[in-house]
mmCIF file of all heavy atoms in Angstrom:
data_model
loop_
_atom_site.group_PDB
_atom_site.id
_atom_site.type_symbol
_atom_site.label_atom_id
_atom_site.label_comp_id
_atom_site.label_asym_id
_atom_site.label_seq_id
_atom_site.Cartn_x
_atom_site.Cartn_y
_atom_site.Cartn_z
ATOM 1 N N THR A 144 -3.419 -6.236 -17.241
ATOM 2 C CA THR A 144 -2.214 -5.829 -17.944
ATOM 3 C C THR A 144 -2.080 -4.318 -17.797
ATOM 4 O O THR A 144 -3.003 -3.568 -18.113
ATOM 5 C CB THR A 144 -2.310 -6.197 -19.438
ATOM 6 O OG1 THR A 144 -2.475 -7.615 -19.537
ATOM 7 C CG2 THR A 144 -1.071 -5.769 -20.194
ATOM 8 N N GLN A 145 -0.945 -3.874 -17.274
ATOM 9 C CA GLN A 145 -0.684 -2.450 -17.099
ATOM 10 C C GLN A 145 0.804 -2.251 -16.865
ATOM 11 O O GLN A 145 1.537 -3.210 -16.666
ATOM 12 C CB GLN A 145 -1.532 -1.867 -15.953
ATOM 13 C CG GLN A 145 -1.450 -2.572 -14.614
ATOM 14 C CD GLN A 145 -0.180 -2.256 -13.838
ATOM 15 O OE1 GLN A 145 0.362 -1.168 -13.915
ATOM 16 N NE2 GLN A 145 0.319 -3.236 -13.112
ATOM 17 N N ALA A 146 1.241 -1.018 -16.911
ATOM 18 C CA ALA A 146 2.650 -0.676 -16.722
ATOM 19 C C ALA A 146 2.815 0.101 -15.421
ATOM 20 O O ALA A 146 1.873 0.754 -14.962
ATOM 21 C CB ALA A 146 3.139 0.172 -17.893
ATOM 22 N N PRO A 147 4.010 0.056 -14.813
ATOM 23 C CA PRO A 147 4.239 0.832 -13.593
ATOM 24 C C PRO A 147 3.924 2.316 -13.802
ATOM 25 O O PRO A 147 4.074 2.839 -14.906
ATOM 26 C CB PRO A 147 5.737 0.633 -13.322
ATOM 27 C CG PRO A 147 6.084 -0.646 -14.008
ATOM 28 C CD PRO A 147 5.198 -0.689 -15.234
ATOM 29 N N TYR A 148 3.519 2.965 -12.736
ATOM 30 C CA TYR A 148 3.276 4.406 -12.802
ATOM 31 C C TYR A 148 4.594 5.120 -13.108
ATOM 32 O O TYR A 148 4.628 6.039 -13.903
ATOM 33 C CB TYR A 148 2.673 4.902 -11.482
ATOM 34 C CG TYR A 148 2.398 6.375 -11.488
ATOM 35 C CD1 TYR A 148 1.287 6.873 -12.170
ATOM 36 C CD2 TYR A 148 3.254 7.270 -10.863
ATOM 37 C CE1 TYR A 148 1.041 8.234 -12.212
ATOM 38 C CE2 TYR A 148 3.007 8.626 -10.901
ATOM 39 C CZ TYR A 148 1.909 9.106 -11.575
ATOM 40 O OH TYR A 148 1.664 10.447 -11.628
ATOM 41 N N SER A 149 5.657 4.706 -12.412
ATOM 42 C CA SER A 149 7.004 5.238 -12.651
ATOM 43 C C SER A 149 7.937 4.068 -12.922
ATOM 44 O O SER A 149 8.438 3.452 -11.991
ATOM 45 C CB SER A 149 7.508 6.004 -11.419
ATOM 46 O OG SER A 149 6.768 7.166 -11.221
ATOM 47 N N PRO A 150 8.148 3.734 -14.192
ATOM 48 C CA PRO A 150 9.032 2.615 -14.515
ATOM 49 C C PRO A 150 10.392 2.797 -13.842
ATOM 50 O O PRO A 150 10.779 3.926 -13.558
ATOM 51 C CB PRO A 150 9.149 2.694 -16.032
ATOM 52 C CG PRO A 150 7.907 3.412 -16.465
ATOM 53 C CD PRO A 150 7.607 4.394 -15.372
ATOM 54 N N PRO A 151 11.103 1.719 -13.511
ATOM 55 C CA PRO A 151 10.974 0.435 -14.174
ATOM 56 C C PRO A 151 10.136 -0.603 -13.433
ATOM 57 O O PRO A 151 9.877 -1.665 -13.985
ATOM 58 C CB PRO A 151 12.432 -0.045 -14.233
ATOM 59 C CG PRO A 151 13.026 0.484 -12.975
ATOM 60 C CD PRO A 151 12.361 1.832 -12.767
ATOM 61 N N ALA A 152 9.711 -0.359 -12.175
ATOM 62 C CA ALA A 152 9.064 -1.436 -11.428
ATOM 63 C C ALA A 152 7.962 -0.893 -10.522
ATOM 64 O O ALA A 152 7.838 0.317 -10.304
ATOM 65 C CB ALA A 152 10.091 -2.196 -10.608
ATOM 66 N N GLU A 153 7.170 -1.844 -10.007
ATOM 67 C CA GLU A 153 6.065 -1.545 -9.098
ATOM 68 C C GLU A 153 5.922 -2.718 -8.136
ATOM 69 O O GLU A 153 6.479 -3.791 -8.352
ATOM 70 C CB GLU A 153 4.770 -1.355 -9.897
ATOM 71 C CG GLU A 153 4.381 -2.605 -10.687
ATOM 72 C CD GLU A 153 3.315 -2.350 -11.742
ATOM 73 O OE1 GLU A 153 2.648 -1.317 -11.709
ATOM 74 O OE2 GLU A 153 3.163 -3.226 -12.615
ATOM 75 N N ALA A 154 5.159 -2.511 -7.063
ATOM 76 C CA ALA A 154 4.867 -3.594 -6.121
ATOM 77 C C ALA A 154 3.542 -4.231 -6.516
ATOM 78 O O ALA A 154 2.576 -3.538 -6.842
ATOM 79 C CB ALA A 154 4.781 -3.055 -4.699
ATOM 80 N N LYS A 155 3.505 -5.567 -6.482
ATOM 81 C CA LYS A 155 2.309 -6.321 -6.885
ATOM 82 C C LYS A 155 1.823 -7.190 -5.725
ATOM 83 O O LYS A 155 2.607 -7.909 -5.105
ATOM 84 C CB LYS A 155 2.649 -7.222 -8.069
ATOM 85 C CG LYS A 155 1.560 -8.226 -8.425
ATOM 86 C CD LYS A 155 2.072 -9.220 -9.451
ATOM 87 C CE LYS A 155 1.152 -10.407 -9.591
ATOM 88 N NZ LYS A 155 1.727 -11.425 -10.489
ATOM 89 N N PHE A 156 0.518 -7.130 -5.457
ATOM 90 C CA PHE A 156 -0.133 -8.044 -4.522
ATOM 91 C C PHE A 156 -0.964 -9.010 -5.350
ATOM 92 O O PHE A 156 -1.794 -8.591 -6.150
ATOM 93 C CB PHE A 156 -1.035 -7.278 -3.546
ATOM 94 C CG PHE A 156 -1.800 -8.175 -2.624
ATOM 95 C CD1 PHE A 156 -1.162 -8.840 -1.591
ATOM 96 C CD2 PHE A 156 -3.154 -8.374 -2.808
ATOM 97 C CE1 PHE A 156 -1.869 -9.686 -0.751
ATOM 98 C CE2 PHE A 156 -3.880 -9.213 -1.969
ATOM 99 C CZ PHE A 156 -3.235 -9.876 -0.931
ATOM 100 N N ASN A 157 -0.774 -10.309 -5.166
ATOM 101 C CA ASN A 157 -1.348 -11.332 -6.040
ATOM 102 C C ASN A 157 -2.776 -11.747 -5.685
ATOM 103 O O ASN A 157 -3.073 -12.919 -5.540
ATOM 104 C CB ASN A 157 -0.445 -12.570 -6.066
ATOM 105 C CG ASN A 157 -0.514 -13.355 -4.768
ATOM 106 O OD1 ASN A 157 -0.602 -12.789 -3.689
ATOM 107 N ND2 ASN A 157 -0.451 -14.664 -4.882
ATOM 108 N N SER A 158 -3.688 -10.816 -5.629
ATOM 109 C CA SER A 158 -5.075 -11.166 -5.296
ATOM 110 C C SER A 158 -5.764 -11.974 -6.396
ATOM 111 O O SER A 158 -6.775 -12.629 -6.138
ATOM 112 C CB SER A 158 -5.894 -9.919 -4.957
ATOM 113 O OG SER A 158 -5.685 -8.900 -5.895
ATOM 114 N N TYR A 159 -5.218 -11.968 -7.617
ATOM 115 C CA TYR A 159 -5.806 -12.742 -8.714
ATOM 116 C C TYR A 159 -5.787 -14.242 -8.421
ATOM 117 O O TYR A 159 -6.714 -14.962 -8.756
ATOM 118 C CB TYR A 159 -5.077 -12.455 -10.026
ATOM 119 C CG TYR A 159 -5.561 -13.286 -11.190
ATOM 120 C CD1 TYR A 159 -6.753 -12.969 -11.831
ATOM 121 C CD2 TYR A 159 -4.832 -14.380 -11.631
ATOM 122 C CE1 TYR A 159 -7.204 -13.737 -12.906
ATOM 123 C CE2 TYR A 159 -5.275 -15.144 -12.703
ATOM 124 C CZ TYR A 159 -6.469 -14.822 -13.327
ATOM 125 O OH TYR A 159 -6.911 -15.577 -14.385
ATOM 126 N N ASP A 160 -4.716 -14.735 -7.798
ATOM 127 C CA ASP A 160 -4.633 -16.167 -7.522
ATOM 128 C C ASP A 160 -4.478 -16.484 -6.032
ATOM 129 O O ASP A 160 -3.927 -17.502 -5.659
ATOM 130 C CB ASP A 160 -3.523 -16.835 -8.335
ATOM 131 C CG ASP A 160 -2.176 -16.179 -8.172
ATOM 132 O OD1 ASP A 160 -2.013 -15.375 -7.241
ATOM 133 O OD2 ASP A 160 -1.288 -16.461 -8.964
ATOM 134 N N CYS A 161 -4.991 -15.609 -5.186
ATOM 135 C CA CYS A 161 -4.986 -15.830 -3.742
ATOM 136 C C CYS A 161 -6.445 -15.792 -3.267
ATOM 137 O O CYS A 161 -7.170 -14.845 -3.567
ATOM 138 C CB CYS A 161 -4.153 -14.755 -3.060
ATOM 139 S SG CYS A 161 -3.899 -15.063 -1.317
ATOM 140 N N SER A 162 -6.856 -16.812 -2.567
ATOM 141 C CA SER A 162 -8.272 -16.960 -2.188
ATOM 142 C C SER A 162 -8.798 -15.799 -1.365
ATOM 143 O O SER A 162 -8.060 -15.151 -0.611
ATOM 144 C CB SER A 162 -8.463 -18.256 -1.398
ATOM 145 O OG SER A 162 -8.145 -19.363 -2.209
ATOM 146 N N THR A 163 -10.081 -15.562 -1.499
ATOM 147 C CA THR A 163 -10.782 -14.485 -0.803
ATOM 148 C C THR A 163 -10.505 -14.514 0.697
ATOM 149 O O THR A 163 -10.554 -15.561 1.327
ATOM 150 C CB THR A 163 -12.305 -14.615 -1.039
ATOM 151 O OG1 THR A 163 -12.532 -14.514 -2.443
ATOM 152 C CG2 THR A 163 -13.078 -13.543 -0.309
ATOM 153 N N GLY A 164 -10.207 -13.345 1.238
ATOM 154 C CA GLY A 164 -9.986 -13.181 2.671
ATOM 155 C C GLY A 164 -8.546 -13.354 3.100
ATOM 156 O O GLY A 164 -8.175 -12.944 4.194
ATOM 157 N N ASN A 165 -7.710 -13.952 2.255
ATOM 158 C CA ASN A 165 -6.307 -14.096 2.604
ATOM 159 C C ASN A 165 -5.584 -12.768 2.396
ATOM 160 O O ASN A 165 -6.031 -11.914 1.639
ATOM 161 C CB ASN A 165 -5.651 -15.206 1.780
ATOM 162 C CG ASN A 165 -6.110 -16.568 2.224
ATOM 163 O OD1 ASN A 165 -6.146 -16.862 3.420
ATOM 164 N ND2 ASN A 165 -6.486 -17.404 1.283
ATOM 165 N N PHE A 166 -4.452 -12.613 3.066
ATOM 166 C CA PHE A 166 -3.751 -11.325 3.046
ATOM 167 C C PHE A 166 -2.248 -11.535 3.145
ATOM 168 O O PHE A 166 -1.758 -12.619 3.428
ATOM 169 C CB PHE A 166 -4.217 -10.447 4.213
ATOM 170 C CG PHE A 166 -3.771 -10.970 5.554
ATOM 171 C CD1 PHE A 166 -2.588 -10.525 6.123
ATOM 172 C CD2 PHE A 166 -4.520 -11.918 6.237
ATOM 173 C CE1 PHE A 166 -2.160 -11.023 7.346
ATOM 174 C CE2 PHE A 166 -4.103 -12.418 7.456
ATOM 175 C CZ PHE A 166 -2.913 -11.970 8.012
ATOM 176 N N LYS A 167 -1.521 -10.432 2.953
ATOM 177 C CA LYS A 167 -0.076 -10.373 3.194
ATOM 178 C C LYS A 167 0.270 -8.901 3.404
ATOM 179 O O LYS A 167 -0.306 -8.013 2.786
ATOM 180 C CB LYS A 167 0.701 -10.944 2.011
ATOM 181 C CG LYS A 167 2.207 -11.060 2.200
ATOM 182 C CD LYS A 167 2.616 -12.019 3.287
ATOM 183 C CE LYS A 167 2.784 -13.412 2.755
ATOM 184 N NZ LYS A 167 3.300 -14.372 3.732
#
Side-chain angles (χ1 to χ4, degrees):
T144 300
Q145 53 77 33
Y148 180 77
S149 292
E153 61 194 344
K155 170 189 167 186
F156 176 72
N157 73 322
S158 47
Y159 176 77
D160 54 14
C161 188
S162 297
T163 299
N165 288 313
F166 69 93
K167 186 64 89 175

